[in-house]
Amino acid sequence: MGVVVAKFGGSSLSEATQFQKVKHIISLDNRRLFIVPSAPGKRNSKDEKVTDMLLKCHELNEKGEDIADVFNKIRERFTSIASDLKLKIDIHGVLNEIEVNIRSGASKMYCASRGEYVNGMLLADYLGYNFFDPAGSILFSDDGNFDSERTNRTVAEKLCSLENAVIPGFYGSKDNGEIQTFSRGGSDISGAIVARALCAEVYENWTDVSGFLMADPRIVENPLEIRELTYRELRELSYMGATVLHEDAIFPVNKAGISTNIRNTNYPEHPGTIIRHVMRTEEAIPKKHVITGIAGKQGFDVITIEKSMMNSEVGFGMRVLQALYEFGISFEHLPTGIDSICVVVDHKNFDLYRNSVIKRIYELVQPDSVNVSENMAIIATVGRGMVRNPGTASRLFTALSEAKINIRMIDQGSSELSILVGINDEDFTKAVKAIYNAFVK
Ligand code: ASP
């Protein structure tokens, strides 16, 4: 029998009633043997996440202020779960030790990780599963880089001897033993790492939504759900702002050919969204809609560099990018013309060094002109079905022209997985709606 790795997010484990839902879900499928929990999240919109409170304790302690008030709130969160579920664990002992460590100056990452650690202990006790501390198995080099291959071997070796386990998400350790966390939301990554190491049949990611939607529901009213998509499509959508899953959670499972199933803890009957490495043949080309989803971001600047005969100057593009590199600015897109090159950058990063970067471009490539235009939004229309469907681009551009939206940039990768259009920031919502209506409605 194969195993299923199930990760439960913070809202799925925010209080005792949520733990009960999780236990029920686990009991419905006896392959759900390896469980990765987050720290308790918000119980309502005004509530605080335990991770945020732990970080607050660290900050207060650093400033020499007392952590008692904040730590007591954390204590209250965990002890009420333990007492409501009648757990045997010595929760006060566990929390006292953490409090002492924070007061004695434990690192920021140690503090941040303790929400997952304690929640993992509670969940293991409640399910009757083994508790497996990822410190010493999810490995980072001493300079803080995640070591994926060594981690994969170590986690596989250690977990294969266990029948079941609860493995706290979000953290691991460096070779020197220090606790190291992933970036915020990183329990998704831990779940994907465990799924890869165990060659799981599927990686289930249980959260508080029923998967991905074709567009942002704050812009499009009741957008359709995405039932299936590929990791490559997801990557395009999440780069552009669709956030349900941590971006870095894609790599371990995609590499191993394991599908991720996003599911809703509060609505477990819903099949959610399945993300596959490759589509099954019958799903290779979506029948209903040519596109899979639409996502976008605002706040880009475009630097346009013009120079006659630029195309025959070897190393021109490299030197333009070098100017950005020297100021630590990454470029997002790079559409080029015959005698011009446009570099799309994030406004916030670029604005700090704007004049210095332009000066450096003049020094490095002696252009005829450099112009910066601000306030551009980029919308990605994504779909594996677009490749073999003539007329997709024309449908997209017609929709935008009918909505009287001026297109400032067009970029289609040769993978034909997405078409990106740059438009004025102020046209953003209108454009997303127009594209959605043209392809979906
Ligand atoms: N608890 C961590 C956070 O709030 C990690 C996670 O939930 O995945 O970011």
Side-chain angles (χ1 to χ4, degrees):
M1 182 185 70
V3 299
V4 169
V5 171
K7 180 257 166 178
F8 289 88
S11 57
S12 304
L13 291 165
S14 57
E15 56 190 328
T17 48
Q18 292 299 92
F19 269 66
Q20 286 163 342
K21 289 183 191 168
V22 166
K23 187 172 187 172
H24 175 67
I25 289 167
I26 292 171
S27 74
L28 295 175
D29 186 339
N30 58 6
R31 297 170 308 158
R32 291 182 180 131
L33 294 169
F34 293 88
I35 313 298
V36 178
S38 283
K42 294 184 181 186
R43 293 161 294 185
N44 53 59
S45 58
K46 294 198 183 73
D47 202 12
E48 273 178 286
K49 287 182 170 193
V50 165
T51 309
D52 290 330
M53 293 195 278
L54 285 160
L55 286 165
K56 185 90 202 160
C57 286
H58 176 262
E59 193 190 316
L60 290 172
N61 194 62
E62 289 273 282
K63 287 198 253 169
E65 291 174 30
D66 192 18
I67 65 168
D69 286 351
V70 186
F71 198 83
N72 282 340
K73 286 196 209 159
I74 299 171
R75 187 181 289 281
E76 152 61 23
R77 293 289 300 267
F78 284 123
T79 49
S80 66
I81 296 173
S83 70
D84 290 352
L85 299 176
K86 303 190 175 41
L87 302 183
K88 296 183 290 297
I89 181 177
D90 170 20
I91 185 68
H92 288 290
V94 173
L95 291 169
N96 288 346
E97 189 187 325
I98 293 172
E99 185 177 0
V100 169
N101 290 341
I102 299 177
R103 286 186 189 279
S104 5
S107 73
K108 185 173 176 185
M109 290 201 180
Y110 167 87
C111 298
S113 72
R114 292 306 90 182
E116 271 70 13
Y117 174 78
V118 180
N119 228 20
M121 284 192 156
L122 296 180
L123 187 61
D125 187 340
Y126 186 46
L127 297 174
Y129 277 23
N130 296 297
F131 174 77
F132 181 90
D133 190 341
S137 299
I138 292 192
L139 304 170
F140 294 83
S141 60
D142 283 345
D143 54 11
N145 290 318
F146 172 56
D147 189 339
S148 71
E149 298 316 301
R150 218 153 48 91
T151 294
N152 190 45
R153 286 193 300 276
T154 316
V155 174
E157 213 173 275
K158 293 195 187 167
L159 283 183
C160 73
S161 59
L162 298 177
E163 214 178 295
N164 57 42
V166 171
I167 307 116
F170 191 39
Y171 73 93
S173 61
K174 293 183 184 175
D175 286 335
N176 63 13
E178 251 175 60
I179 295 292
Q180 162 103 19
T181 62
F182 292 108
S183 56
R184 294 298 303 265
S187 300
D188 286 344
I189 311 172
S190 309
I193 290 167
V194 174
R196 177 185 172 206
L198 292 172
C199 302
E201 280 189 17
V202 59
Y203 169 36
E204 290 180 343
N205 192 297
W206 292 83
T207 173
D208 52 6
V209 292
S210 299
F212 284 92
L213 300 170
M214 287 187 80
D216 186 336
R218 290 166 301 185
I219 300 177
V220 172
E221 210 181 311
N222 285 326
L224 292 182
E225 289 160 351
I226 304 177
R227 222 8 78 69
E228 295 201 287
L229 77 165
T230 61
Y231 284 110
R232 288 179 61 210
E233 288 173 301
L234 174 62
R235 180 88 186 97
E236 303 258 349
L237 289 170
S238 52
Y239 161 74
M240 276 298 171
T243 50
V244 174
L245 189 67
H246 192 297
E247 264 190 286
D248 294 343
I250 295 175
F251 302 107
V253 268
N254 190 17
K255 201 169 196 162
I258 298 166
S259 302
T260 299
N261 189 188
I262 308 285
R263 301 285 294 266
N264 189 344
T265 302
N266 304 317
Y267 184 9
E269 311 70 42
H270 194 289
T273 298
I274 280 266
I275 311 150
R276 296 185 195 282
H277 177 64
V278 280
M279 280 295 159
R280 294 170 303 183
T281 29
E282 72 271 23
E283 281 297 333
I285 307 232
K287 290 173 211 79
K288 218 154 157 212
H289 305 293
V290 177
I291 65 163
T292 302
I294 305 159
K297 262 205 249 182
Q298 290 169 278
F300 292 103
D301 289 348
V302 188
I303 315 168
T304 305
I305 300 120
E306 289 192 322
K307 185 174 188 184
S308 332
M309 304 303 288
M310 164 206 110
N311 60 336
S312 57
E313 207 177 299
V314 176
F316 187 90
M318 184 192 75
R319 289 196 298 277
V320 167
L321 295 183
Q322 186 188 328
L324 295 169
Y325 171 76
E326 287 175 9
F327 292 90
I329 300 166
S330 67
F331 75 93
E332 309 286 331
H333 302 281
L334 201 65
T336 57
I338 307 295
D339 283 334
S340 69
I341 179 167
C342 295
V343 190
V344 180
V345 287
D346 186 278
H347 173 78
K348 281 195 294 317
N349 298 339
F350 175 62
D351 207 39
L352 289 174
Y353 305 104
R354 181 182 169 129
N355 293 337
S356 317
V357 172
I358 294 173
K359 186 165 163 261
R360 192 69 183 125
I361 293 176
Y362 271 103
E363 281 164 16
L364 287 166
V365 296
Q366 296 84 44
D368 298 335
S369 66
V370 178
N371 287 302
V372 177
S373 58
E374 296 183 348
N375 304 325
M376 191 173 77
I378 299 182
I379 300 178
T381 304
V382 177
R384 60 190 183 280
M386 291 182 350
V387 190
R388 300 196 189 96
N389 249 301
T392 312
S394 108
R395 242 165 117 183
L396 173 65
F397 300 136
T398 307
L400 293 175
S401 102
E402 281 173 0
K404 308 226 170 341
I405 294 166
N406 178 39
I407 302 176
R408 288 170 53 185
M409 183 201 82
I410 301 169
D411 197 357
Q412 177 178 22
S414 51
S415 64
E416 287 189 66
L417 202 62
S418 66
I419 301 176
L420 306 183
V421 288
I423 53 167
N424 288 330
D425 261 343
E426 73 230 30
D427 289 331
F428 183 65
T429 34
K430 200 161 80 171
V432 172
K433 282 185 187 155
I435 299 172
Y436 184 85
N437 290 342
F439 284 98
V440 185
K441 281 224 167 134

